[in-house]
Amino acid sequence: MKILVIGSGGREHAIIYSILRSRKNVDLYCAPGNGGISDNAKIVNIKYDDIDGLLNFALSEKIDLTVVGPEVPLSLGIADKFLHNGLKVFGPGQKAALLESSKQFTKEFLKRNNIKTADYQSFTDFKTAYAYIQNRSHPVVIKASGLAAGKGVFIPQSIIESENYLDLIFNKKIFGKSGETVVIEDYLEGFELSYMIAADGKTYKPLATSMDYKKAYDGDKGENTGGMGSISPHPYLSAALEEKIKKNIIEPVLLSLKNEGIIYKGILYAGLMIKDDDIYVLEFNVRFGDPETQSILIRLKSDIVGLFESCIDGTLNDYNLEFDNNQAVCLVLSSAGYPGKYETGFEISFGEYEKYFNYSGNNDIYIFHAGTKKIGNKYFTNGGRVLNICSKNKDLKTALSDIYNAADAIQFKNKYYRRDIGNLGISAIKV
Ligand code: AMP
Ligand code: GLY
């Protein structure tokens, strides 16, 4: 069986690891991949936004299954194009991907279907937006409507901060086209939770739960990042709350999409705010979260290829999705400066940890590559988030000491990581 994975991050490396664990006889390709992935799959040098290039490759290589990691190709309609050409592809179509690629679309969709979300207004010019924020009590939440790699949301504490940010988006165009429409919404206080499900157009199954550490620095300080670490299961998600999330959010969303002619197949990630007794939608992603997926997939007991196929074929009901009972953690090693400016090109020394590049068995430590490249037999930093160190254990403390020992031992210039991943008292303090 020939499988093509699209993407180049730790999430894609974890997906590749899960495929290798599930199936012995696969011919794996990854476009464009990274240094670590090049050890496990054939690298295809096509960028993930080159949809025609990827289509031509999949057709000429007779790829049996394509798994799309990031949101950009989904928002460009890769799933529709592949399906139209008779190719099996895991990931929702372009219309469904609007749930991530247009915050304005999502807000309108939620409002017209009576699904709870913060009140908002959208704007397409500086002057009107500026006039609007004059009369708002702060903080407010300002969001670029389009894709911004997780960096398009800012929470100004004052009118001056709002003005500066609106100036950056509308006048300095820091997000380009993605900032042409801006959503300004009410600030909600509560505790945050993300919830992922797999859907096949008829039914859905929840993935294991997880908690993401979004901020750059310890104690949830600093800027929002793509994610600096994760743990699974989520330590505070009760069965009762999970039931409520399904009934109040997941099921109405899937049904409302269907009523509007959108059959959702793939992973749906709901970013939620729990405030008193209410659950509000902050955002959707139309794909696996990164780095939540890394913690979740090392606990997966079922065959991931079967999961992808059953979502595509509409047979998810018959598929048994199981996770083990371990506590899993994932720590992101990044280049200092991320999510702002950072330098790359530094050699990575793994020492004894290179042995964890063997993904065929049940490891106690897993090293997934994100922003790395391989030259000869050496690995170099090549991005903001460089490596993901993951571990699982019945005891969270043991898993944490495993990853932090590895994080200290693995060396590269400008290495930075949060010291408090797994600290339940901090990210969950608002519970
Ligand atoms: P989003 O990409 O929309 O999930 O926003 C990124 C982050 O901004 C979220 O994870 C929250 O921490 C924060 N955020 C977004 N919307 C709101 C809101 N309405 N109230 C408070 N915080 C928010
Ligand atoms: N970790 C959040 C995301 O994948 O967008």
Side-chain angles (χ1 to χ4, degrees):
M1 181 179 197
K2 287 186 172 182
I3 303 182
L4 168 65
V5 175
I6 294 174
S8 59
R11 166 184 52 206
E12 286 74 21
H13 203 180
I15 290 171
I16 283 171
Y17 145 77
S18 304
I19 294 172
L20 289 172
R21 264 193 71 192
S22 298
R23 300 283 169 105
K24 295 289 164 254
N25 291 319
V26 284
D27 217 352
L28 258 178
Y29 298 82
C30 187
N34 60 37
I37 289 176
S38 71
D39 295 331
N40 308 122
K42 291 178 195 122
I43 294 295
V44 180
N45 258 325
I46 303 175
K47 291 213 177 97
Y48 60 50
D49 58 356
D50 178 2
I51 308 300
D52 287 331
L54 292 167
L55 176 67
N56 290 336
F57 173 81
L59 286 171
S60 68
E61 282 298 322
K62 299 193 168 51
I63 297 292
D64 298 297
L65 170 67
T66 299
V67 181
V68 187
E71 61 278 18
V72 170
L74 292 167
S75 75
L76 293 172
I78 192 168
D80 314 83
K81 259 213 165 144
F82 272 49
L83 283 177
H84 188 73
N85 283 275
L87 293 166
K88 275 195 171 190
V89 57
F90 181 78
Q94 190 168 28
K95 257 182 149 179
L98 281 171
L99 284 179
E100 178 161 3
S101 63
S102 169
K103 291 198 187 278
Q104 188 188 15
F105 168 87
T106 303
K107 297 297 283 188
E108 285 170 1
F109 168 81
L110 291 168
K111 283 285 171 198
R112 74 174 165 265
N113 289 294
N114 294 315
I115 298 164
K116 280 207 164 77
T117 188
D119 285 334
Y120 76 103
Q121 294 229 19
S122 36
F123 300 91
T124 51
D125 70 287
F126 175 83
K127 224 174 131 193
T128 329
Y130 180 65
Y132 175 77
I133 52 109
Q134 298 300 312
N135 304 318
R136 304 300 299 179
S137 66
H138 281 64
V140 292
V141 185
I142 302 184
K143 302 182 173 184
S145 177
L147 294 178
K151 295 169 195 160
V153 176
F154 183 61
I155 305 184
Q157 303 295 325
S158 64
I159 293 176
I160 292 285
E161 279 186 19
S162 282
E163 181 186 351
N164 288 340
Y165 194 63
L166 290 171
D167 178 56
L168 287 174
I169 300 187
F170 281 125
N171 301 330
K172 313 251 163 39
K173 301 191 190 306
I174 53 169
F175 298 119
K177 270 192 161 316
S178 289
E180 281 178 358
T181 299
V182 165
V183 167
I184 303 183
E185 63 181 52
D186 290 352
Y187 177 77
L188 299 172
E189 219 163 339
F191 83 94
E192 259 186 90
L193 191 97
S194 45
Y195 195 72
M196 277 189 264
I197 57 116
D200 72 345
K202 297 178 191 158
T203 186
Y204 73 93
K205 292 201 171 166
L207 302 188
T209 62
S210 63
M211 186 163 92
D212 180 15
Y213 292 73
K214 277 182 203 277
K215 301 280 183 187
Y217 306 125
D218 287 8
D220 289 340
K221 302 265 169 27
E223 282 181 72
N224 260 336
T225 69
M228 297 301 287
S230 65
I231 60 176
S232 174
H234 192 291
Y236 296 107
L237 178 55
S238 65
L241 180 55
E242 186 166 4
E243 221 28 58
K244 211 162 154 181
I245 293 172
K246 290 184 198 165
K247 292 282 169 277
N248 294 4
I249 308 289
I250 302 298
E251 288 164 23
V253 165
L254 293 174
L255 184 64
S256 305
L257 286 170
K258 201 176 267 179
N259 290 340
E260 296 190 12
I262 300 174
I263 304 295
Y264 199 96
K265 289 184 174 202
I267 300 295
L268 180 66
Y269 169 125
L272 306 170
M273 184 70 85
I274 318 292
K275 185 171 180 270
D276 305 322
D277 262 353
D278 292 319
I279 305 170
Y280 292 81
V281 175
L282 295 181
E283 64 158 348
F284 289 115
N285 295 326
V286 296
R287 49 163 177 88
F288 284 109
D290 182 348
E292 297 92 322
T293 299
Q294 290 83 315
S295 291
I296 290 173
L297 288 187
I298 63 173
R299 296 181 50 216
L300 179 67
K301 285 167 78 179
S302 320
D303 164 24
I304 198 169
V305 178
L307 173 66
F308 296 143
E309 289 181 326
S310 66
C311 285
I312 295 168
D313 298 341
T315 55
L316 186 59
N317 199 34
D318 304 325
Y319 173 81
N320 185 26
L321 180 56
E322 261 194 289
F323 297 89
D324 70 29
N325 290 323
N326 284 301
Q327 306 281 324
V329 286
C330 170
L331 172 70
V332 173
L333 303 194
S334 64
S335 303
Y338 170 80
K341 281 207 174 76
Y342 53 82
E343 285 179 76
T344 60
F346 303 119
E347 189 177 345
I348 307 170
S349 117
F350 288 94
E352 59 163 319
Y353 285 92
E354 199 147 340
K355 69 172 184 263
Y356 292 109
F357 288 8
N358 174 7
Y359 297 102
S360 54
N362 273 316
N363 288 358
D364 42 2
I365 293 180
Y366 305 80
I367 295 170
F368 300 126
H369 287 231
T372 72
K373 68 178 171 197
K374 192 172 182 185
I375 302 172
N377 57 4
K378 291 181 173 171
Y379 302 91
F380 296 86
T381 64
N382 193 36
R385 292 191 289 179
V386 178
L387 294 168
N388 303 152
I389 303 174
C390 305
S391 178
K392 63 175 183 175
N393 200 285
K394 290 273 173 278
D395 170 38
L396 181 62
K397 277 207 183 119
T398 310
L400 286 169
S401 74
D402 281 350
I403 57 166
Y404 277 107
N405 287 338
D408 291 339
I410 294 170
Q411 297 293 341
F412 58 87
K413 196 170 168 219
N414 292 356
K415 176 180 70 170
Y416 169 77
Y417 53 93
R418 274 181 67 161
R419 289 268 168 194
D420 63 344
I421 302 306
N423 185 337
L424 310 183
I426 292 177
S427 271
I429 206 144
K430 302 163 217 151
V431 177

